[in-house]
Amino acid sequence: MTSVPPGQPPVPGTALLRLVEVMDTLRVSCPWDRKQTHESLAPYLLLQVVFQARIAADRADGAGFTIDDVAEGIVAKLVRRHPHVFGDVTVSGADEVISNWDTIKAAERAAAGGEPGSALDSVPFGQPALTLAAQLQRRAEVAGAPAGLADLAAGPPDQPVSEREGAPAGQPTSVSAGQPVSDLGAELFGLVARARAAGLDPELELRAAARAYRDRVRAWEQSARG
């Protein structure tokens, strides 16, 4: 366990060492963390976190933070959400880890807002769109939301069918007040739902397709030069 000698100011980066220790523990002791790979973690990466923290450290408005603040927050969240590793909770496998994780996050939302709130409140909207759509759908599914809600092309569940069918082809369909969705957007969201139903990660599938396209273009370039 890393620590700072009494009477001395914390050394920048100390909390990162603690974060490394926690991740080492989880990699060994948590069934969900043990099974993860570079590919499976791709949707969760925030590559610019160090840069963002460095910029925030320069703020003088009281809203700044440092990389240690980020690391300490991650450590606190990881420890809190892994009671089967850092507490006395017993789990049977990775599926139960995910179930407990969702329960803990629901309790966190309730504590933060004083009320249950929405299962989607803590979903970060700054992540890639495919990953965002998949996470929203998974959270809604866990909360018991009807699968039909993901069919944005059908319009709001409480909207009369005649009104849904009256919109001109190709024009945005109003899913909720102030939130128009084009036919293409609805179709893309539906493709994410199809990928999840097939047990696939839409972000990884699109990355694989992008790599295949890259290889085709490179092969075309080589043949053109020859």
Side-chain angles (χ1 to χ4, degrees):
M1 183 77 67
T2 57
S3 61
V4 178
Q8 293 187 19
V11 178
T14 299
L16 284 176
L17 298 178
R18 170 60 176 151
L19 177 56
V20 170
E21 292 177 355
V22 169
M23 286 308 308
D24 285 343
T25 299
L26 294 179
R27 187 65 171 169
V28 172
S29 304
C30 176
W32 187 88
D33 289 278
R34 276 200 306 269
K35 66 185 290 189
Q36 300 311 305
T37 64
H38 287 300
E39 292 74 21
S40 69
L41 289 175
Y44 307 106
L45 296 181
L46 183 57
L47 300 179
Q48 72 268 32
V49 63
V50 175
F51 205 157
Q52 296 282 9
R54 182 61 187 85
I55 294 173
D58 293 333
R59 296 181 61 165
D61 58 0
F65 57 88
T66 67
I67 189 62
D68 280 317
D69 294 326
V70 174
E72 287 174 354
I74 295 174
V75 167
K77 181 169 70 173
L78 289 175
V79 171
R80 184 173 63 251
R81 294 183 179 179
H82 288 79
H84 55 287
V85 176
F86 302 102
D88 56 4
V89 173
T90 300
V91 295
S92 59
D95 289 342
E96 192 170 355
V97 171
I98 296 174
S99 176
N100 288 346
W101 184 288
D102 288 329
T103 299
I104 293 170
K105 286 190 291 188
E108 291 172 352
R109 291 193 296 271
E115 56 185 30
S118 169
L120 310 182
D121 284 344
S122 62
V123 176
F125 271 68
Q127 59 187 314
L130 285 177
T131 303
L132 170 62
Q135 187 173 3
L136 287 172
Q137 290 177 11
R138 188 188 73 81
R139 289 281 191 89
E141 183 179 281
V142 171
L149 293 181
D151 184 5
L152 301 184
D158 57 351
Q159 180 182 357
V161 174
S162 59
E163 293 183 18
R164 300 178 195 171
E165 296 176 346
Q171 295 299 311
T173 299
S174 179
V175 175
S176 61
Q179 298 294 326
V181 176
S182 68
D183 289 345
L184 178 60
E187 185 176 353
L188 288 171
F189 198 81
L191 286 175
V192 173
R194 281 179 54 191
R196 294 186 60 254
L200 301 173
D201 185 315
E203 186 80 13
L204 298 183
E205 294 303 310
L206 184 57
R207 287 178 182 274
R211 287 194 295 270
Y213 178 71
R214 174 202 61 192
D215 294 342
R216 286 188 176 191
V217 171
R218 286 178 174 174
W220 169 80
E221 290 172 332
Q222 291 176 357
S223 65
R225 296 189 192 103

